Amino acid sequence: MKVIITDELREHMKKKNRTIISITIRKVESGCVGSVQELDVRYNKIPKELDKFIRFDIEGIEVYVISNLKLKNDELILSVKRSPLLTKELDIQGIELKL
């Protein structure tokens, strides 16, 4: 697995004084359809069950990725995008979620 952090995200995290990203998946019950998967991203919090995560140190940013995460091309790209409210938020590309 390869994790790429864009320069823009690196700068954004520096401004927000963040050095840790943890990425997990949680199941969300959706009524009669069953359950769907949803990303759960946390900043500046090291996961409790470290044995379930793969740790990457990328230029001073620690990235913890849950080990059962399914990737499209064995590559995870972390960047920044603007939300409709014009705030910056994390954009994650390369993950396959079950919907």
Side-chain angles (χ1 to χ4, degrees):
M1 174 189 307
K2 181 177 180 182
V3 177
I4 298 169
I5 297 178
T6 64
D7 292 338
E8 186 178 9
L9 177 58
R10 202 172 297 113
E11 286 299 316
H12 178 69
M13 293 201 48
K14 185 176 179 181
K15 286 180 187 176
K16 296 287 186 178
N17 200 26
R18 295 176 175 167
T19 58
I20 299 170
I21 300 173
S22 65
I23 302 170
T24 60
I25 292 180
R26 65 177 169 216
K27 286 186 180 180
V28 178
E29 298 300 321
S30 63
C32 59
V33 178
S35 63
V36 295
Q37 292 181 336
E38 177 178 274
L39 284 179
D40 184 14
V41 178
R42 310 245 174 178
Y43 296 99
N44 284 354
K45 186 173 181 180
I46 296 174
K48 291 179 183 177
E49 299 177 30
L50 285 176
D51 58 323
K52 294 183 179 181
F53 288 81
I54 302 169
R55 181 185 177 275
F56 299 88
D57 189 347
I58 304 167
E59 296 182 37
I61 297 174
E62 290 179 71
V63 180
Y64 294 89
V65 179
I66 194 77
S67 59
N68 65 351
L69 192 69
K70 297 205 188 296
L71 300 179
K72 293 178 183 174
N73 295 315
D74 205 37
E75 186 174 81
L76 189 63
I77 302 170
L78 306 176
S79 60
V80 174
K81 70 176 180 179
R82 292 226 180 251
S83 74
L85 300 174
L86 300 178
T87 59
K88 289 184 178 180
E89 57 186 36
L90 182 64
D91 183 39
I92 302 174
Q93 298 174 7
I95 298 176
E96 288 185 24
L97 293 176
K98 293 180 185 176
L99 300 176

